[in-house]
Amino acid sequence: MTTTTTTPTTPTTPTTPTTWPYLDPHQSRTHAPTPYEVKLARTLEAIFTEDGHDLAAVVAGLNARQVRTPDGEPWTEETFRTEMQRLGA
Protein backbone atom coordinates (compact mmCIF):
# COMPACT_ATOMS: atom_id res chain seq x y z
CA MET A 1 0.00 0.00 0.00
CA THR A 2 1.30 3.44 -0.97
CA THR A 3 0.78 6.36 1.36
CA THR A 4 0.85 9.87 0.00
CA THR A 5 1.73 12.70 2.28
CA THR A 6 0.46 16.13 1.40
CA THR A 7 1.90 19.32 2.70
CA PRO A 8 -0.67 21.91 3.65
CA THR A 9 -0.41 24.99 1.51
CA THR A 10 -1.14 28.53 2.47
CA PRO A 11 -3.44 30.33 0.08
CA THR A 12 -1.57 33.04 -1.69
CA THR A 13 -2.82 36.22 -3.23
CA PRO A 14 -1.56 36.64 -6.74
CA THR A 15 0.64 39.65 -7.13
CA THR A 16 -0.37 42.19 -9.70
CA PRO A 17 2.10 44.47 -11.36
CA THR A 18 1.58 48.12 -10.59
CA THR A 19 2.54 49.12 -14.09
CA TRP A 20 -0.52 47.81 -15.90
CA PRO A 21 -1.90 50.71 -17.90
CA TYR A 22 -5.51 50.09 -16.96
CA LEU A 23 -4.65 50.54 -13.29
CA ASP A 24 -3.29 54.03 -13.85
CA PRO A 25 -5.99 56.53 -12.84
CA HIS A 26 -4.61 59.10 -15.29
CA GLN A 27 -3.97 56.80 -18.22
CA SER A 28 -5.47 59.20 -20.76
CA ARG A 29 -3.35 62.13 -19.59
CA THR A 30 -0.53 63.34 -21.76
CA HIS A 31 0.82 65.74 -19.13
CA ALA A 32 0.60 66.55 -15.45
CA PRO A 33 -2.51 68.56 -14.54
CA THR A 34 -2.06 72.29 -14.91
CA PRO A 35 -2.95 74.63 -12.02
CA TYR A 36 -6.12 75.54 -13.96
CA GLU A 37 -7.11 71.86 -14.31
CA VAL A 38 -6.47 71.20 -10.61
CA LYS A 39 -8.56 74.23 -9.59
CA LEU A 40 -11.36 73.23 -11.96
CA ALA A 41 -11.38 69.64 -10.70
CA ARG A 42 -11.46 70.68 -7.04
CA THR A 43 -14.21 73.19 -7.72
CA LEU A 44 -16.29 70.62 -9.62
CA GLU A 45 -15.91 68.18 -6.72
CA ALA A 46 -17.23 70.84 -4.33
CA ILE A 47 -20.13 71.64 -6.67
CA PHE A 48 -21.09 67.98 -7.00
CA THR A 49 -21.04 67.67 -3.21
CA GLU A 50 -22.81 70.90 -2.33
CA ASP A 51 -24.88 72.08 -5.30
CA GLY A 52 -25.92 69.25 -7.57
CA HIS A 53 -25.00 67.22 -10.60
CA ASP A 54 -27.12 68.63 -13.40
CA LEU A 55 -25.46 70.86 -15.97
CA ALA A 56 -27.28 74.03 -14.91
CA ALA A 57 -26.15 73.56 -11.28
CA VAL A 58 -22.55 72.93 -12.37
CA VAL A 59 -22.43 76.04 -14.55
CA ALA A 60 -24.08 78.15 -11.84
CA GLY A 61 -21.67 76.75 -9.23
CA LEU A 62 -18.60 77.57 -11.32
CA ASN A 63 -19.82 81.10 -11.94
CA ALA A 64 -20.82 81.64 -8.30
CA ARG A 65 -17.30 80.59 -7.25
CA GLN A 66 -15.81 82.86 -9.92
CA VAL A 67 -13.93 80.02 -11.60
CA ARG A 68 -13.80 81.18 -15.20
CA THR A 69 -13.27 79.51 -18.56
CA PRO A 70 -9.71 79.35 -19.93
CA ASP A 71 -10.55 82.61 -21.77
CA GLY A 72 -11.54 84.30 -18.51
CA GLU A 73 -15.24 84.41 -19.38
CA PRO A 74 -18.18 83.20 -17.28
CA TRP A 75 -19.31 79.65 -18.01
CA THR A 76 -22.25 78.70 -20.20
CA GLU A 77 -23.56 75.20 -20.74
CA GLU A 78 -21.94 75.21 -24.18
CA THR A 79 -18.51 76.36 -22.95
CA PHE A 80 -18.63 73.75 -20.18
CA ARG A 81 -19.42 70.95 -22.64
CA THR A 82 -16.65 72.15 -24.97
CA GLU A 83 -14.09 72.35 -22.16
CA MET A 84 -14.96 68.90 -20.82
CA GLN A 85 -14.56 67.48 -24.32
CA ARG A 86 -11.20 69.25 -24.70
CA LEU A 87 -10.01 67.85 -21.37
CA GLY A 88 -11.18 64.36 -22.27
CA ALA A 89 -13.73 64.14 -19.47
Side-chain angles (χ1 to χ4, degrees):
M1 177 170 183
T2 307
T3 305
T4 306
T5 306
T6 58
T7 306
T9 59
T10 304
T12 59
T13 303
T15 58
T16 54
T18 58
T19 58
W20 290 358
Y22 60 85
L23 295 178
D24 182 359
H26 303 293
Q27 60 187 302
S28 64
R29 290 197 177 273
T30 57
H31 62 279
T34 64
Y36 160 77
E37 291 169 344
V38 170
K39 182 177 182 177
L40 180 61
R42 288 182 178 157
T43 305
L44 288 172
E45 186 176 324
I47 291 168
F48 292 152
T49 302
E50 300 165 13
D51 300 340
H53 294 188
D54 63 280
L55 184 56
V58 171
V59 169
L62 287 167
N63 289 329
R65 289 167 175 83
Q66 298 184 1
V67 175
R68 300 294 183 218
T69 67
D71 297 334
E73 298 296 320
W75 290 95
T76 65
E77 291 184 8
E78 183 61 32
T79 57
F80 183 79
R81 282 189 194 102
T82 301
E83 184 63 1
M84 291 300 102
Q85 185 175 14
R86 184 187 75 81
L87 293 172

